[in-house]
């Protein structure tokens, strides 16, 4: 299973990446302030940070020993992610 979105605020990482590029956001705090993403359950926070750091919008579930989640290919049913 891949992580491609903030479930709490219903925004895909692709949407957040596009918004960040359009509005000049470069930090998780800026994305959080504008969209709410990362401020609900917080589970998406490392993935939003990894999206900003790498440009990827699909990640394998982060393992405890990984500093950042690893990019992966979206599942076939989640290609719009
Ligand atoms: S999944 Fe993003 S705040 Fe819960």
């Amino acid at each position: 299973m891949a992580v491609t979105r903030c479930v709490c605020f219903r925004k895909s990482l692709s949407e957040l990446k596009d918004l960040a590029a359009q509005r000049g956001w470069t930090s998780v705090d800026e994305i959080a302030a504008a969209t709410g993403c990362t401020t609900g359950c917080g589970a998406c926070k490392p993935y939003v940070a990894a999206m900003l750091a790498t440009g990827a919008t699909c990640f394998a579930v982060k393992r405890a020993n990984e500093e950042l989640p690893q990019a992966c290919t979206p599942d076939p049913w989640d290609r719009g992610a």
Side-chain angles (χ1 to χ4, degrees):
M1 181 164 178
V3 178
T4 59
R5 63 193 65 248
C6 169
V7 175
C8 295
F9 290 89
R10 299 182 182 197
K11 288 267 190 272
S12 72
L13 294 173
S14 289
E15 289 175 279
L16 293 175
K17 181 179 174 181
D18 290 346
L19 285 169
Q22 291 166 10
R23 300 181 186 178
W25 302 332
T26 58
S27 71
V28 171
D29 287 346
E30 289 172 304
I31 290 174
T35 68
C37 295
T38 75
T39 66
C41 71
C44 65
K45 191 169 186 175
Y47 304 96
V48 172
M51 180 271 295
L52 286 170
T54 68
T57 57
C58 181
F59 297 94
V61 174
K62 183 181 176 302
R63 296 172 192 251
N65 64 343
E66 293 175 335
E67 190 170 322
L68 285 178
Q70 301 299 302
C72 70
T73 303
D75 292 311
W77 49 265
D78 201 15
R79 294 281 185 214

